[in-house]
Coordinates of all heavy atoms in Angstrom, one line a residue:
M27 N 108.9 94.0 107.1 CA 107.6 93.4 106.9 C 107.7 91.9 107.1 O 108.1 91.2 106.2 CB 107.2 93.8 105.4 CG 105.9 93.3 105.1 SD 105.4 93.7 103.4 CE 106.4 95.0 102.9
A28 N 107.3 91.4 108.1 CA 107.4 90.0 108.5 C 106.6 89.1 107.6 O 107.1 88.0 107.3 CB 107.1 89.9 110.0
S29 N 105.4 89.5 107.2 CA 104.6 88.6 106.6 C 105.0 88.3 105.1 O 104.5 87.3 104.5 CB 103.1 89.1 106.5 OG 103.1 90.4 106.0
N30 N 106.0 89.1 104.6 CA 106.4 88.8 103.2 C 107.2 87.5 103.0 O 107.3 87.0 101.9 CB 107.1 89.9 102.5 CG 108.5 90.1 103.1 OD1 108.9 89.4 104.0 ND2 109.2 91.1 102.7
S31 N 107.7 87.0 104.1 CA 108.5 85.8 104.1 C 107.6 84.6 103.7 O 108.1 83.5 103.3 CB 109.2 85.5 105.4 OG 108.3 85.4 106.4
I32 N 106.4 84.7 103.8 CA 105.4 83.6 103.5 C 105.4 83.4 102.0 O 105.3 82.2 101.5 CB 104.0 84.0 104.0 CG1 104.0 84.0 105.6 CG2 103.0 82.9 103.5 CD1 102.7 84.6 106.1
T33 N 105.5 84.4 101.2 CA 105.4 84.4 99.8 C 106.7 84.1 99.1 O 106.9 83.3 98.3 CB 104.7 85.5 99.2 OG1 105.4 86.7 99.6 CG2 103.2 85.6 99.6
S34 N 107.7 85.0 99.3 CA 109.0 84.9 98.8 C 110.0 85.7 99.5 O 109.6 86.6 100.3 CB 109.0 85.2 97.3 OG 108.7 86.6 97.2
S35 N 111.2 85.5 99.3 CA 112.3 86.2 100.0 C 112.6 87.5 99.2 O 112.8 87.5 98.0 CB 113.5 85.3 100.1 OG 114.6 86.0 100.7
W36 N 112.7 88.6 100.0 CA 113.0 89.9 99.4 C 114.2 90.5 100.1 O 114.2 90.5 101.4 CB 111.9 90.9 99.5 CG 110.7 90.6 98.6 CD1 109.8 89.6 98.7 CD2 110.3 91.4 97.5 NE1 108.9 89.6 97.6 CE2 109.2 90.8 96.9 CE3 110.7 92.6 97.0 CZ2 108.5 91.3 95.8 CZ3 110.1 93.2 95.9 CH2 109.0 92.5 95.3
T37 N 115.2 90.9 99.4 CA 116.4 91.6 100.0 C 116.0 93.0 100.3 O 115.0 93.6 99.9 CB 117.6 91.5 99.1 OG1 117.3 92.4 97.9 CG2 117.9 90.1 98.6
M38 N 116.9 93.6 101.2 CA 116.7 95.1 101.5 C 116.8 95.9 100.2 O 116.0 96.8 100.0 CB 117.7 95.5 102.5 CG 117.4 94.9 103.9 SD 118.7 95.3 105.1 CE 118.8 97.1 105.1
K39 N 117.7 95.5 99.3 CA 117.9 96.2 98.1 C 116.6 96.2 97.2 O 116.2 97.1 96.6 CB 119.1 95.7 97.3 CG 119.5 96.5 96.2 CD 120.8 96.0 95.6 CE 121.3 96.8 94.5 NZ 122.6 96.3 93.9
Q40 N 116.0 95.0 97.1 CA 114.8 94.8 96.3 C 113.7 95.6 96.9 O 112.9 96.2 96.2 CB 114.5 93.3 96.3 CG 115.3 92.5 95.3 CD 115.0 91.1 95.4 OE1 114.8 90.4 96.4 NE2 115.0 90.4 94.2
N41 N 113.6 95.6 98.3 CA 112.5 96.3 98.9 C 112.7 97.8 98.6 O 111.7 98.6 98.4 CB 112.5 96.1 100.4 CG 111.6 95.0 100.8 OD1 110.5 94.9 100.4 ND2 112.1 94.1 101.6
K42 N 113.9 98.3 98.6 CA 114.1 99.8 98.3 C 113.8 100.1 96.9 O 113.1 101.1 96.6 CB 115.6 100.1 98.5 CG 115.9 101.6 98.3 CD 115.2 102.5 99.0 CE 115.6 104.0 98.7 NZ 114.6 104.9 98.9
K43 N 114.2 99.2 96.0 CA 113.8 99.4 94.5 C 112.3 99.3 94.3 O 111.7 100.1 93.6 CB 114.4 98.3 93.7 CG 115.9 98.5 93.5 CD 116.5 97.4 92.6 CE 118.0 97.7 92.3 NZ 118.6 96.7 91.5
F44 N 111.7 98.4 95.1 CA 110.2 98.3 95.1 C 109.5 99.6 95.6 O 108.6 100.1 94.9 CB 109.8 97.2 96.1 CG 108.3 96.9 96.3 CD1 107.5 96.4 95.3 CD2 107.7 97.3 97.5 CE1 106.2 96.2 95.5 CE2 106.4 97.1 97.7 CZ 105.6 96.6 96.7
E45 N 110.0 100.2 96.7 CA 109.5 101.4 97.2 C 109.6 102.6 96.1 O 108.7 103.3 95.9 CB 110.1 101.8 98.5 CG 109.7 100.9 99.6 CD 110.6 101.1 100.8 OE1 111.4 102.0 100.9 OE2 110.5 100.4 101.9
D46 N 110.8 102.6 95.5 CA 111.1 103.7 94.5 C 110.2 103.5 93.3 O 109.7 104.5 92.8 CB 112.5 103.6 94.1 CG 113.6 104.0 95.2 OD1 113.1 104.7 96.2 OD2 114.7 103.8 95.1
A47 N 110.0 102.2 92.9 CA 109.2 101.9 91.8 C 107.7 102.3 92.0 O 107.0 102.8 91.1 CB 109.3 100.5 91.3
L48 N 107.3 102.1 93.2 CA 105.9 102.4 93.6 C 105.7 103.9 93.5 O 104.6 104.4 93.1 CB 105.5 101.9 95.0 CG 105.3 100.5 95.2 CD1 104.9 100.1 96.7 CD2 104.2 99.9 94.3
A49 N 106.7 104.7 93.9 CA 106.6 106.1 93.8 C 106.6 106.6 92.3 O 106.0 107.6 92.0 CB 107.8 106.8 94.5
T50 N 107.3 105.8 91.5 CA 107.4 106.2 90.0 C 106.2 105.7 89.2 O 105.6 106.5 88.5 CB 108.7 105.5 89.4 OG1 109.8 105.9 90.1 CG2 108.7 105.9 87.9
Y51 N 105.7 104.5 89.5 CA 104.6 104.0 88.8 C 103.4 103.9 89.7 O 103.2 103.0 90.5 CB 104.9 102.6 88.3 CG 106.1 102.5 87.4 CD1 107.3 101.9 87.9 CD2 106.2 103.1 86.2 CE1 108.5 101.9 87.2 CE2 107.4 103.0 85.4 CZ 108.5 102.4 85.9 OH 109.6 102.4 85.2
D52 N 102.5 104.9 89.6 CA 101.3 105.0 90.4 C 100.2 104.0 89.9 O 100.4 103.4 88.8 CB 100.8 106.4 90.6 CG 100.3 107.0 89.3 OD1 100.1 106.3 88.3 OD2 100.0 108.2 89.3
R53 N 99.1 104.0 90.5 CA 98.0 103.1 90.2 C 97.4 103.3 88.8 O 96.8 102.4 88.2 CB 96.9 103.1 91.3 CG 96.1 104.3 91.3 CD 95.0 104.3 92.3 NE 95.6 104.3 93.7 CZ 95.1 103.9 94.8 NH1 93.9 103.6 94.7 NH2 95.7 104.0 95.9
D54 N 97.6 104.5 88.2 CA 97.1 104.8 86.9 C 98.1 104.4 85.8 O 97.8 104.6 84.5 CB 96.7 106.3 86.8 CG 95.6 106.7 87.8 OD1 94.7 105.8 88.1 OD2 95.7 107.8 88.3
T55 N 99.3 104.0 86.1 CA 100.2 103.6 85.1 C 99.8 102.3 84.4 O 99.6 101.3 85.1 CB 101.6 103.4 85.8 OG1 102.0 104.6 86.4 CG2 102.6 103.1 84.8
P56 N 99.8 102.3 83.1 CA 99.5 101.0 82.4 C 100.6 100.0 82.7 O 101.8 100.4 82.7 CB 99.5 101.4 80.9 CG 99.3 102.9 80.9 CD 99.9 103.4 82.2
D57 N 100.3 98.8 82.8 CA 101.3 97.7 83.1 C 102.1 98.0 84.4 O 103.3 97.7 84.5 CB 102.2 97.5 81.9 CG 101.4 97.0 80.7 OD1 100.5 96.2 80.9 OD2 101.7 97.5 79.6
R58 N 101.4 98.6 85.3 CA 102.1 99.0 86.6 C 103.0 97.9 87.2 O 104.2 98.1 87.5 CB 101.1 99.5 87.6 CG 101.8 99.9 89.0 CD 100.7 100.2 90.0 NE 101.3 100.9 91.1 CZ 100.7 101.1 92.3 NH1 99.5 100.8 92.4 NH2 101.3 101.9 93.2
W59 N 102.4 96.7 87.4 CA 103.1 95.6 88.1 C 104.3 95.1 87.2 O 105.3 94.7 87.8 CB 102.1 94.5 88.5 CG 101.1 95.1 89.4 CD1 99.8 95.1 89.2 CD2 101.3 95.8 90.6 NE1 99.1 95.7 90.2 CE2 100.1 96.2 91.1 CE3 102.4 96.2 91.3 CZ2 99.9 97.0 92.3 CZ3 102.3 96.9 92.5 CH2 101.0 97.3 93.0
H60 N 104.1 95.1 86.0 CA 105.2 94.7 85.1 C 106.4 95.7 85.2 O 107.5 95.3 85.3 CB 104.7 94.6 83.6 CG 105.8 94.4 82.6 ND1 106.4 93.2 82.4 CD2 106.4 95.2 81.8 CE1 107.4 93.3 81.5 NE2 107.4 94.6 81.1
N61 N 106.1 96.9 85.2 CA 107.1 98.0 85.3 C 107.7 97.9 86.7 O 109.0 98.1 86.8 CB 106.4 99.4 85.1 CG 106.0 99.7 83.7 OD1 106.7 99.1 82.8 ND2 104.9 100.4 83.5
V62 N 107.0 97.7 87.7 CA 107.6 97.6 89.1 C 108.4 96.4 89.1 O 109.6 96.4 89.7 CB 106.5 97.5 90.1 CG1 107.1 97.2 91.6 CG2 105.7 98.8 90.2
A63 N 108.0 95.2 88.5 CA 108.8 94.0 88.6 C 110.1 94.3 87.8 O 111.2 93.8 88.3 CB 108.1 92.9 87.9
M64 N 110.1 95.0 86.7 CA 111.3 95.2 85.9 C 112.3 96.1 86.7 O 113.5 95.9 86.7 CB 111.0 95.9 84.6 CG 110.2 95.0 83.6 SD 111.1 93.6 83.1 CE 112.4 94.3 82.1
A65 N 111.8 97.1 87.4 CA 112.6 98.0 88.2 C 113.2 97.2 89.4 O 114.3 97.5 89.8 CB 111.7 99.2 88.8
V66 N 112.4 96.4 90.0 CA 113.0 95.5 91.1 C 114.0 94.6 90.7 O 115.1 94.4 91.3 CB 111.9 94.8 91.9 CG1 112.4 93.8 92.9 CG2 110.9 95.9 92.6
G67 N 113.7 93.8 89.7 CA 114.6 92.8 89.1 C 114.4 91.5 89.9 O 114.4 91.5 91.1
G68 N 114.4 90.4 89.2 CA 114.3 89.1 89.8 C 112.9 88.7 90.5 O 112.8 87.7 91.1
K69 N 112.0 89.5 90.2 CA 110.6 89.3 90.6 C 109.5 89.4 89.5 O 109.8 90.2 88.5 CB 110.1 90.3 91.7 CG 111.0 90.2 92.9 CD 110.8 89.0 93.8 CE 111.7 89.0 95.0 NZ 111.7 87.7 95.7
S70 N 108.5 88.6 89.5 CA 107.5 88.6 88.5 C 106.5 89.8 88.8 O 106.4 90.2 90.0 CB 106.8 87.3 88.4 OG 106.0 87.1 89.6
A71 N 105.6 90.1 87.9 CA 104.6 91.1 88.1 C 103.7 90.6 89.2 O 103.2 91.4 90.1 CB 103.8 91.3 86.8
E72 N 103.4 89.3 89.2 CA 102.5 88.7 90.3 C 103.1 88.8 91.7 O 102.5 89.1 92.6 CB 102.2 87.3 89.9 CG 101.2 86.6 90.9 CD 99.8 87.3 91.0 OE1 99.3 87.8 90.0 OE2 99.3 87.4 92.1
E73 N 104.5 88.5 91.7 CA 105.2 88.7 93.0 C 105.1 90.1 93.5 O 104.9 90.3 94.8 CB 106.6 88.1 92.9 CG 106.7 86.7 92.8 CD 108.1 86.2 92.5 OE1 108.8 86.6 91.5 OE2 108.7 85.5 93.3
V74 N 105.4 91.1 92.7 CA 105.4 92.5 93.2 C 104.0 92.9 93.6 O 103.8 93.7 94.5 CB 106.1 93.4 92.2 CG1 107.5 93.2 92.1 CG2 105.4 93.5 90.9
K75 N 103.0 92.5 92.8 CA 101.6 92.8 93.2 C 101.2 92.2 94.5 O 100.6 92.8 95.4 CB 100.6 92.3 92.1 CG 99.2 92.7 92.4 CD 98.3 92.2 91.3 CE 96.9 92.6 91.5 NZ 95.9 92.2 90.5
R76 N 101.7 90.9 94.8 CA 101.4 90.3 96.0 C 102.1 90.9 97.1 O 101.6 91.1 98.3 CB 101.7 88.8 95.9 CG 101.4 88.0 97.2 CD 101.5 86.5 97.0 NE 102.7 86.1 96.3 CZ 102.8 85.4 95.1 NH1 101.7 85.1 94.5 NH2 103.9 85.1 94.5
H77 N 103.3 91.4 96.9 CA 104.2 92.1 97.9 C 103.5 93.4 98.3 O 103.4 93.8 99.4 CB 105.5 92.3 97.3 CG 106.5 92.7 98.3 ND1 107.0 91.8 99.4 CD2 107.4 93.8 98.4 CE1 107.9 92.5 100.0 NE2 108.2 93.7 99.5
Y78 N 102.9 94.1 97.3 CA 102.2 95.3 97.5 C 100.9 95.0 98.3 O 100.6 95.8 99.3 CB 101.7 96.0 96.2 CG 100.9 97.2 96.3 CD1 101.5 98.4 96.6 CD2 99.5 97.2 96.1 CE1 100.8 99.5 96.8 CE2 98.8 98.3 96.3 CZ 99.4 99.5 96.6 OH 98.6 100.6 96.7
E79 N 100.2 94.1 98.0 CA 98.9 93.7 98.8 C 99.3 93.4 100.3 O 98.6 93.9 101.2 CB 98.2 92.5 98.2 CG 97.6 92.9 96.8 CD 97.2 91.7 96.0 OE1 97.5 90.5 96.3 OE2 96.5 91.9 94.9
I80 N 100.4 92.7 100.5 CA 100.8 92.4 101.9 C 101.2 93.7 102.6 O 100.9 94.0 103.7 CB 102.1 91.5 101.9 CG1 101.5 90.1 101.4 CG2 102.7 91.4 103.2 CD1 102.6 89.1 101.1
L81 N 101.9 94.6 101.9 CA 102.3 95.9 102.4 C 101.0 96.7 102.8 O 101.0 97.3 103.9 CB 103.1 96.7 101.4 CG 103.5 98.2 101.7 CD1 104.4 98.2 102.9 CD2 104.1 98.8 100.5
V82 N 100.0 96.7 102.0 CA 98.8 97.5 102.2 C 98.1 96.9 103.5 O 97.7 97.6 104.4 CB 97.9 97.5 101.0 CG1 96.5 98.0 101.4 CG2 98.4 98.3 99.9
K83 N 98.1 95.6 103.6 CA 97.4 94.9 104.8 C 98.2 95.3 106.0 O 97.7 95.5 107.1 CB 97.3 93.4 104.6 CG 96.3 93.0 103.6 CD 96.3 91.5 103.4 CE 95.3 91.1 102.4 NZ 95.3 89.6 102.1
D84 N 99.6 95.2 105.9 CA 100.4 95.6 107.1 C 100.1 97.0 107.5 O 100.0 97.3 108.7 CB 101.9 95.4 106.8 CG 102.3 93.9 106.8 OD1 101.5 93.1 107.2 OD2 103.4 93.7 106.3
I85 N 100.1 97.9 106.6 CA 99.9 99.3 107.0 C 98.4 99.5 107.6 O 98.3 100.2 108.6 CB 99.9 100.2 105.7 CG1 101.4 100.2 105.2 CG2 99.4 101.7 105.9 CD1 101.6 100.9 103.9
M86 N 97.5 98.8 107.1 CA 96.1 98.9 107.6 C 96.1 98.4 109.1 O 95.5 99.0 110.0 CB 95.1 98.1 106.8 CG 94.8 98.9 105.5 SD 93.8 97.9 104.3 CE 92.4 97.5 105.2
R87 N 96.8 97.3 109.3 CA 96.9 96.7 110.7 C 97.6 97.8 111.7 O 97.2 97.9 112.8 CB 97.7 95.4 110.7 CG 96.8 94.3 110.1 CD 97.6 93.0 110.1 NE 97.8 92.6 111.5 CZ 99.0 92.1 111.9 NH1 100.0 92.1 111.1 NH2 99.1 91.8 113.2
I88 N 98.7 98.4 111.2 CA 99.4 99.3 112.0 C 98.5 100.5 112.3 O 98.4 101.0 113.5 CB 100.7 99.8 111.3 CG1 101.7 98.6 111.2 CG2 101.3 101.0 112.0 CD1 102.8 98.8 110.3
E89 N 97.9 101.1 111.2 CA 97.0 102.3 111.4 C 95.8 102.0 112.3 O 95.3 102.9 112.9 CB 96.7 102.9 110.1 CG 98.0 103.5 109.4 CD 97.6 104.1 108.1 OE1 96.5 103.8 107.5 OE2 98.4 104.9 107.5
S90 N 95.3 100.8 112.3 CA 94.1 100.5 113.1 C 94.4 100.1 114.5 O 93.6 99.8 115.3 CB 93.4 99.3 112.4 OG 94.1 98.1 112.6
G91 N 95.8 100.2 114.8 CA 96.2 99.9 116.3 C 96.4 98.4 116.6 O 96.6 98.1 117.7
Q92 N 96.3 97.6 115.6 CA 96.5 96.1 115.8 C 97.9 95.7 116.0 O 98.2 94.6 116.5 CB 95.9 95.4 114.6 CG 94.3 95.5 114.4 CD 93.8 94.8 113.2 OE1 94.6 94.0 112.6 NE2 92.6 95.0 112.9
V93 N 98.8 96.6 115.7 CA 100.3 96.3 115.8 C 100.8 97.4 116.8 O 100.8 98.6 116.5 CB 101.1 96.4 114.5 CG1 102.5 96.2 114.7 CG2 100.5 95.3 113.5
P94 N 101.3 96.9 118.0 CA 101.8 97.9 118.9 C 103.1 98.6 118.4 O 103.9 98.0 117.8 CB 102.1 97.1 120.1 CG 102.3 95.7 119.7 CD 101.5 95.6 118.4
L95 N 103.2 99.9 118.7 CA 104.4 100.6 118.3 C 105.6 100.3 119.2 O 105.4 100.0 120.4 CB 104.2 102.1 118.4 CG 103.1 102.6 117.4 CD1 102.9 104.1 117.6 CD2 103.6 102.4 115.9
P96 N 106.8 100.2 118.8 CA 108.0 99.8 119.6 C 108.2 100.9 120.6 O 107.9 102.1 120.4 CB 109.1 99.7 118.6 CG 108.7 100.4 117.4 CD 107.2 100.4 117.4
N97 N 108.8 100.5 121.7 CA 109.1 101.5 122.8 C 110.7 101.8 122.6 O 111.5 101.2 123.3 CB 108.9 100.8 124.1 CG 109.1 101.9 125.2 OD1 109.3 103.1 125.0 ND2 109.1 101.4 126.4
Y98 N 111.0 102.7 121.7 CA 112.3 103.1 121.5 C 112.9 104.0 122.6 O 112.1 104.7 123.2 CB 112.5 103.9 120.2 CG 112.1 103.1 119.0 CD1 111.1 103.5 118.1 CD2 112.9 102.0 118.6 CE1 110.9 102.8 117.0 CE2 112.6 101.3 117.5 CZ 111.5 101.7 116.7 OH 111.4 101.0 115.5
K99 N 114.1 103.8 122.9 CA 114.7 104.6 123.9 C 115.4 105.8 123.2 O 116.0 105.6 122.2 CB 115.8 103.8 124.7 CG 115.3 102.7 125.6 CD 116.3 102.1 126.4 CE 115.6 101.1 127.4 NZ 116.7 100.5 128.2
A100 N 115.3 106.9 123.9 CA 116.0 108.1 123.4 C 117.5 108.0 123.6 O 117.9 107.4 124.6 CB 115.5 109.4 124.1
P101 N 118.3 108.4 122.7 CA 119.8 108.3 122.8 C 120.3 108.9 124.1 O 119.8 110.1 124.5 CB 120.3 109.0 121.6 CG 119.2 109.2 120.7 CD 118.0 109.1 121.4
G102 N 121.0 108.2 124.9 CA 121.7 108.7 126.1 C 120.7 108.8 127.3 O 120.9 109.5 128.3
S103 N 119.6 108.1 127.2 CA 118.6 108.1 128.2 C 118.1 106.8 128.6 O 117.9 106.0 127.7 CB 117.4 109.0 127.8 OG 116.4 108.9 128.7
N104 N 117.9 106.6 129.9 CA 117.4 105.3 130.4 C 115.9 105.3 130.5 O 115.3 104.4 130.8 CB 118.0 104.9 131.7 CG 119.5 104.6 131.5 OD1 119.8 104.0 130.5 ND2 120.3 104.8 132.6
R105 N 115.3 106.6 130.3 CA 113.9 106.7 130.5 C 113.1 106.4 129.3 O 111.9 106.4 129.3 CB 113.6 108.1 131.0 CG 114.2 108.3 132.4 CD 114.1 109.6 133.0 NE 113.1 110.5 132.4 CZ 113.1 111.9 132.7 NH1 114.1 112.4 133.4 NH2 112.2 112.6 132.1
G106 N 113.7 106.2 128.2 CA 113.1 105.8 126.9 C 112.0 106.6 126.4 O 112.1 107.8 126.3
F107 N 110.9 106.0 126.2 CA 109.7 106.6 125.5 C 109.3 107.8 126.3 O 108.8 108.8 125.7 CB 108.7 105.6 125.4 CG 107.5 106.0 124.6 CD1 107.6 106.3 123.3 CD2 106.2 106.2 125.1 CE1 106.5 106.7 122.4 CE2 105.1 106.7 124.4 CZ 105.3 106.9 123.0
V108 N 109.2 107.8 127.6 CA 108.7 108.9 128.4 C 109.6 110.1 128.1 O 109.0 111.2 127.9 CB 108.8 108.5 129.9 CG1 108.4 109.7 130.8 CG2 107.9 107.4 130.3
N109 N 110.9 110.0 128.1 CA 111.7 111.1 127.8 C 111.5 111.7 126.4 O 111.4 112.9 126.1 CB 113.2 110.7 127.9 CG 114.1 111.9 127.9 OD1 113.9 112.9 128.5 ND2 115.2 111.8 127.2
E110 N 111.2 110.7 125.4 CA 110.9 111.1 124.1 C 109.7 112.0 124.0 O 109.6 113.0 123.3 CB 110.9 109.9 123.2 CG 110.8 110.2 121.7 CD 110.8 109.0 120.9 OE1 111.7 108.1 121.1 OE2 110.1 108.9 119.8
Q111 N 108.7 111.5 124.8 CA 107.4 112.2 124.7 C 107.6 113.6 125.3 O 106.9 114.5 124.8 CB 106.4 111.4 125.6 CG 105.8 110.2 124.9 CD 104.7 109.5 125.7 OE1 104.9 109.4 126.9 NE2 103.7 109.1 125.0
R112 N 108.3 113.7 126.4 CA 108.6 115.0 126.9 C 109.3 116.0 125.9 O 108.9 117.1 125.8 CB 109.5 114.9 128.2 CG 109.8 116.2 128.9 CD 110.7 116.0 130.1 NE 112.0 115.6 129.6 CZ 113.0 116.2 128.9 NH1 112.8 117.5 128.7 NH2 114.1 115.6 128.6
I113 N 110.2 115.5 125.2 CA 110.9 116.2 124.2 C 109.9 116.7 123.1 O 109.9 117.9 122.8 CB 112.1 115.4 123.6 CG1 113.2 115.2 124.7 CG2 112.7 116.1 122.3 CD1 114.2 114.3 124.3
L114 N 109.2 115.7 122.6 CA 108.2 116.0 121.5 C 107.2 117.1 122.0 O 106.7 118.0 121.2 CB 107.5 114.8 121.1 CG 108.4 113.8 120.3 CD1 107.7 112.5 119.9 CD2 108.9 114.4 119.0
K115 N 106.8 116.9 123.2 CA 105.7 117.9 123.8 C 106.3 119.3 123.8 O 105.5 120.2 123.6 CB 105.4 117.4 125.3 CG 104.3 118.3 125.9 CD 104.0 117.8 127.3 CE 103.1 118.7 128.0 NZ 102.8 118.2 129.4
N116 N 107.5 119.4 124.0 CA 108.1 120.8 124.1 C 108.6 121.4 122.7 O 108.9 122.5 122.7 CB 109.3 120.8 125.0 CG 109.0 120.5 126.5 OD1 107.9 121.0 126.9 ND2 109.8 119.8 127.1
L117 N 108.4 120.6 121.7 CA 108.7 121.2 120.4 C 107.6 122.1 119.9 O 106.4 121.8 120.1 CB 108.8 120.0 119.3 CG 110.1 119.2 119.4 CD1 110.0 118.1 118.4 CD2 111.3 120.0 119.2
K118 N 108.0 123.2 119.3 CA 107.0 124.1 118.8 C 106.9 123.9 117.3 O 107.7 124.4 116.5 CB 107.4 125.5 119.1 CG 107.7 125.8 120.5 CD 106.4 126.3 121.2 CE 106.7 126.9 122.5 NZ 106.4 126.0 123.6
L119 N 106.0 123.1 116.8 CA 105.8 122.7 115.4 C 104.7 123.5 114.8 O 103.8 123.9 115.2 CB 105.6 121.3 115.2 CG 106.8 120.4 115.7 CD1 106.3 119.0 115.5 CD2 108.0 120.6 114.9

């Protein structure tokens, strides 16, 4: 999440704890942001709330097509995304 560096620095470990805490404390949980901050450690309730708001904005931008998806290469292939699309097309899901 590139835009979070504007507000404060988050480690990978804090982000993982943040994600886990969001799964534990849903929007109906009393004192949600305080609980999330306690689970993350080293962040205030305001910081985790702001981090969540940035996350929501990022997701909205991605889902609305404002952020291009990366062109990953399939392992062992120089054809990249085209080869991946062919593989996915042939899957029977």
Side-chain angles (χ1 to χ4, degrees):
M27 183 180 340
S29 54
N30 72 358
S31 61
I32 295 169
T33 56
S34 65
S35 177
W36 286 69
T37 66
M38 289 175 54
K39 189 173 182 178
Q40 285 174 319
N41 270 312
K42 177 61 178 152
K43 287 181 178 182
F44 173 74
E45 292 169 4
D46 291 344
L48 288 180
T50 302
Y51 305 110
D52 67 12
R53 70 180 68 201
D54 297 325
T55 302
D57 298 320
R58 179 187 194 189
W59 302 121
H60 172 76
N61 290 327
V62 173
M64 295 297 291
V66 170
K69 300 291 181 184
S70 69
E72 183 60 36
E73 286 175 301
V74 296
K75 184 178 179 184
R76 188 171 39 242
H77 197 60
Y78 176 78
E79 290 167 352
I80 291 167
L81 173 65
V82 169
K83 287 178 185 177
D84 285 349
I85 291 170
M86 289 173 55
R87 289 182 61 229
I88 292 166
E89 290 180 346
S90 70
Q92 295 177 10
V93 177
L95 297 175
N97 186 12
Y98 293 118
K99 290 186 177 183
S103 171
N104 291 330
R105 293 176 19 197
F107 187 68
V108 174
N109 190 45
E110 188 174 321
Q111 284 182 318
R112 182 186 59 77
I113 292 168
L114 291 172
K115 181 179 174 184
N116 293 324
L117 287 176
K118 304 268 192 262
L119 300 176

